[in-house]
Amino acid sequence: MLQETAKKNNIYLVGGTIPEKEGDFIYNTSLVFDRTGQVIGKHRKVHLFDIDIPGKITFKESEYLKPGNQITIVDTEYGKIGIAICYDMRFPELALLMSKKGAKMLVYSGCFNQTTGPLHWELILRSRALDN
């Protein structure tokens, strides 16, 4: 469906995230499609989110997912775009590495929970923009 959408609309498309199984492992993965619908990038979330706020929320990605270990940058006619996922945005080093490798735009697919998300999302994104 995402490949068809990118091709039909002649757009680049960052497809959010999906669980990707490879061997015995499951990754939180984001695919990037070019204007022809071809996959030109795949980012596996590097920083897994574990939280335990007593009485509010407990969520541990590390119990189910394996972290990725690669920086993801895709080339477009508009310039290089760095791709990351949600909690990856909390780590300025990742954004700095993407910037040093030529990324002119950073795209973070995300799904923050309602306990911590509203307090952090916009502030962290603005911080990454100022960092780089």
Side-chain angles (χ1 to χ4, degrees), residues 57-71:
I57 186 172
T58 299
F59 183 74
K60 297 186 187 270
E61 283 186 320
S62 63
E63 289 182 6
Y64 307 101
L65 300 173
K66 181 169 177 64
N69 61 6
Q70 299 290 317
I71 294 170

PDB file of all heavy atoms in Angstrom, residues 57-71:
ATOM      1  N   ILE A  57       2.458   4.116  34.402  1.00  0.00           N
ATOM      2  CA  ILE A  57       2.763   3.385  33.169  1.00  0.00           C
ATOM      3  C   ILE A  57       4.029   2.546  33.335  1.00  0.00           C
ATOM      4  O   ILE A  57       4.986   2.975  33.964  1.00  0.00           O
ATOM      5  CB  ILE A  57       2.932   4.358  31.967  1.00  0.00           C
ATOM      6  CG1 ILE A  57       3.094   3.593  30.655  1.00  0.00           C
ATOM      7  CG2 ILE A  57       4.062   5.322  32.204  1.00  0.00           C
ATOM      8  CD1 ILE A  57       3.065   4.477  29.421  1.00  0.00           C
ATOM      9  N   THR A  58       3.983   1.362  32.779  1.00  0.00           N
ATOM     10  CA  THR A  58       5.168   0.513  32.652  1.00  0.00           C
ATOM     11  C   THR A  58       5.178  -0.002  31.221  1.00  0.00           C
ATOM     12  O   THR A  58       4.190  -0.533  30.737  1.00  0.00           O
ATOM     13  CB  THR A  58       5.133  -0.684  33.631  1.00  0.00           C
ATOM     14  OG1 THR A  58       5.111  -0.174  34.962  1.00  0.00           O
ATOM     15  CG2 THR A  58       6.344  -1.579  33.445  1.00  0.00           C
ATOM     16  N   PHE A  59       6.303   0.215  30.558  1.00  0.00           N
ATOM     17  CA  PHE A  59       6.428  -0.185  29.159  1.00  0.00           C
ATOM     18  C   PHE A  59       7.904  -0.449  28.899  1.00  0.00           C
ATOM     19  O   PHE A  59       8.744   0.403  29.161  1.00  0.00           O
ATOM     20  CB  PHE A  59       5.921   0.944  28.256  1.00  0.00           C
ATOM     21  CG  PHE A  59       5.932   0.607  26.797  1.00  0.00           C
ATOM     22  CD1 PHE A  59       5.004  -0.263  26.257  1.00  0.00           C
ATOM     23  CD2 PHE A  59       6.871   1.181  25.956  1.00  0.00           C
ATOM     24  CE1 PHE A  59       5.019  -0.567  24.908  1.00  0.00           C
ATOM     25  CE2 PHE A  59       6.890   0.887  24.603  1.00  0.00           C
ATOM     26  CZ  PHE A  59       5.962   0.006  24.078  1.00  0.00           C
ATOM     27  N   LYS A  60       8.224  -1.626  28.415  1.00  0.00           N
ATOM     28  CA  LYS A  60       9.618  -1.990  28.201  1.00  0.00           C
ATOM     29  C   LYS A  60       9.807  -2.593  26.813  1.00  0.00           C
ATOM     30  O   LYS A  60       9.607  -3.780  26.613  1.00  0.00           O
ATOM     31  CB  LYS A  60      10.081  -2.956  29.287  1.00  0.00           C
ATOM     32  CG  LYS A  60      10.033  -2.327  30.675  1.00  0.00           C
ATOM     33  CD  LYS A  60      10.630  -3.217  31.712  1.00  0.00           C
ATOM     34  CE  LYS A  60      10.405  -2.639  33.083  1.00  0.00           C
ATOM     35  NZ  LYS A  60      11.410  -1.766  33.536  1.00  0.00           N
ATOM     36  N   GLU A  61      10.200  -1.746  25.865  1.00  0.00           N
ATOM     37  CA  GLU A  61      10.451  -2.227  24.506  1.00  0.00           C
ATOM     38  C   GLU A  61      11.541  -3.291  24.478  1.00  0.00           C
ATOM     39  O   GLU A  61      11.507  -4.201  23.662  1.00  0.00           O
ATOM     40  CB  GLU A  61      10.870  -1.069  23.594  1.00  0.00           C
ATOM     41  CG  GLU A  61       9.747  -0.197  23.155  1.00  0.00           C
ATOM     42  CD  GLU A  61      10.186   0.841  22.150  1.00  0.00           C
ATOM     43  OE1 GLU A  61      11.287   1.415  22.300  1.00  0.00           O
ATOM     44  OE2 GLU A  61       9.426   1.088  21.199  1.00  0.00           O
ATOM     45  N   SER A  62      12.506  -3.167  25.382  1.00  0.00           N
ATOM     46  CA  SER A  62      13.640  -4.091  25.371  1.00  0.00           C
ATOM     47  C   SER A  62      13.240  -5.529  25.690  1.00  0.00           C
ATOM     48  O   SER A  62      14.008  -6.452  25.430  1.00  0.00           O
ATOM     49  CB  SER A  62      14.714  -3.626  26.358  1.00  0.00           C
ATOM     50  OG  SER A  62      14.208  -3.632  27.678  1.00  0.00           O
ATOM     51  N   GLU A  63      12.037  -5.734  26.220  1.00  0.00           N
ATOM     52  CA  GLU A  63      11.568  -7.100  26.465  1.00  0.00           C
ATOM     53  C   GLU A  63      11.139  -7.793  25.175  1.00  0.00           C
ATOM     54  O   GLU A  63      11.069  -9.017  25.120  1.00  0.00           O
ATOM     55  CB  GLU A  63      10.393  -7.097  27.451  1.00  0.00           C
ATOM     56  CG  GLU A  63      10.792  -6.766  28.868  1.00  0.00           C
ATOM     57  CD  GLU A  63       9.614  -6.806  29.836  1.00  0.00           C
ATOM     58  OE1 GLU A  63       8.502  -7.205  29.421  1.00  0.00           O
ATOM     59  OE2 GLU A  63       9.805  -6.421  30.998  1.00  0.00           O
ATOM     60  N   TYR A  64      10.826  -7.009  24.138  1.00  0.00           N
ATOM     61  CA  TYR A  64      10.260  -7.570  22.912  1.00  0.00           C
ATOM     62  C   TYR A  64      11.070  -7.273  21.650  1.00  0.00           C
ATOM     63  O   TYR A  64      10.953  -7.987  20.663  1.00  0.00           O
ATOM     64  CB  TYR A  64       8.840  -7.041  22.706  1.00  0.00           C
ATOM     65  CG  TYR A  64       7.972  -7.253  23.901  1.00  0.00           C
ATOM     66  CD1 TYR A  64       7.708  -6.226  24.790  1.00  0.00           C
ATOM     67  CD2 TYR A  64       7.425  -8.507  24.162  1.00  0.00           C
ATOM     68  CE1 TYR A  64       6.914  -6.437  25.914  1.00  0.00           C
ATOM     69  CE2 TYR A  64       6.630  -8.722  25.277  1.00  0.00           C
ATOM     70  CZ  TYR A  64       6.381  -7.685  26.149  1.00  0.00           C
ATOM     71  OH  TYR A  64       5.607  -7.891  27.257  1.00  0.00           O
ATOM     72  N   LEU A  65      11.830  -6.195  21.682  1.00  0.00           N
ATOM     73  CA  LEU A  65      12.501  -5.729  20.470  1.00  0.00           C
ATOM     74  C   LEU A  65      14.012  -5.771  20.611  1.00  0.00           C
ATOM     75  O   LEU A  65      14.556  -5.651  21.710  1.00  0.00           O
ATOM     76  CB  LEU A  65      12.086  -4.291  20.156  1.00  0.00           C
ATOM     77  CG  LEU A  65      10.607  -4.039  19.908  1.00  0.00           C
ATOM     78  CD1 LEU A  65      10.347  -2.548  19.780  1.00  0.00           C
ATOM     79  CD2 LEU A  65      10.126  -4.775  18.673  1.00  0.00           C
ATOM     80  N   LYS A  66      14.670  -5.882  19.474  1.00  0.00           N
ATOM     81  CA  LYS A  66      16.126  -5.781  19.409  1.00  0.00           C
ATOM     82  C   LYS A  66      16.441  -4.402  18.809  1.00  0.00           C
ATOM     83  O   LYS A  66      15.794  -3.979  17.849  1.00  0.00           O
ATOM     84  CB  LYS A  66      16.691  -6.889  18.519  1.00  0.00           C
ATOM     85  CG  LYS A  66      18.207  -6.857  18.423  1.00  0.00           C
ATOM     86  CD  LYS A  66      18.717  -8.120  17.766  1.00  0.00           C
ATOM     87  CE  LYS A  66      20.214  -8.100  17.590  1.00  0.00           C
ATOM     88  NZ  LYS A  66      20.989  -8.079  18.801  1.00  0.00           N
ATOM     89  N   PRO A  67      17.437  -3.711  19.353  1.00  0.00           N
ATOM     90  CA  PRO A  67      17.762  -2.398  18.783  1.00  0.00           C
ATOM     91  C   PRO A  67      18.525  -2.517  17.471  1.00  0.00           C
ATOM     92  O   PRO A  67      19.278  -3.469  17.260  1.00  0.00           O
ATOM     93  CB  PRO A  67      18.648  -1.768  19.861  1.00  0.00           C
ATOM     94  CG  PRO A  67      19.270  -2.920  20.568  1.00  0.00           C
ATOM     95  CD  PRO A  67      18.240  -4.026  20.518  1.00  0.00           C
ATOM     96  N   GLY A  68      18.326  -1.541  16.619  1.00  0.00           N
ATOM     97  CA  GLY A  68      19.131  -1.441  15.412  1.00  0.00           C
ATOM     98  C   GLY A  68      20.500  -0.878  15.773  1.00  0.00           C
ATOM     99  O   GLY A  68      20.717  -0.420  16.899  1.00  0.00           O
ATOM    100  N   ASN A  69      21.401  -0.853  14.802  1.00  0.00           N
ATOM    101  CA  ASN A  69      22.746  -0.350  15.082  1.00  0.00           C
ATOM    102  C   ASN A  69      23.329   0.449  13.919  1.00  0.00           C
ATOM    103  O   ASN A  69      24.539   0.535  13.768  1.00  0.00           O
ATOM    104  CB  ASN A  69      23.684  -1.499  15.454  1.00  0.00           C
ATOM    105  CG  ASN A  69      23.821  -2.521  14.347  1.00  0.00           C
ATOM    106  OD1 ASN A  69      23.303  -2.329  13.250  1.00  0.00           O
ATOM    107  ND2 ASN A  69      24.512  -3.601  14.619  1.00  0.00           N
ATOM    108  N   GLN A  70      22.450   1.028  13.095  1.00  0.00           N
ATOM    109  CA  GLN A  70      22.901   1.768  11.918  1.00  0.00           C
ATOM    110  C   GLN A  70      22.275   3.163  11.887  1.00  0.00           C
ATOM    111  O   GLN A  70      21.140   3.354  12.312  1.00  0.00           O
ATOM    112  CB  GLN A  70      22.489   1.040  10.637  1.00  0.00           C
ATOM    113  CG  GLN A  70      23.061  -0.350  10.494  1.00  0.00           C
ATOM    114  CD  GLN A  70      24.546  -0.339  10.245  1.00  0.00           C
ATOM    115  OE1 GLN A  70      25.040   0.457   9.462  1.00  0.00           O
ATOM    116  NE2 GLN A  70      25.254  -1.217  10.927  1.00  0.00           N
ATOM    117  N   ILE A  71      23.006   4.106  11.340  1.00  0.00           N
ATOM    118  CA  ILE A  71      22.474   5.428  11.026  1.00  0.00           C
ATOM    119  C   ILE A  71      21.823   5.315   9.655  1.00  0.00           C
ATOM    120  O   ILE A  71      22.366   4.661   8.759  1.00  0.00           O
ATOM    121  CB  ILE A  71      23.605   6.466  10.993  1.00  0.00           C
ATOM    122  CG1 ILE A  71      24.185   6.625  12.397  1.00  0.00           C
ATOM    123  CG2 ILE A  71      23.118   7.790  10.446  1.00  0.00           C
ATOM    124  CD1 ILE A  71      25.443   7.439  12.424  1.00  0.00           C
TER     125      ILE A  71
END
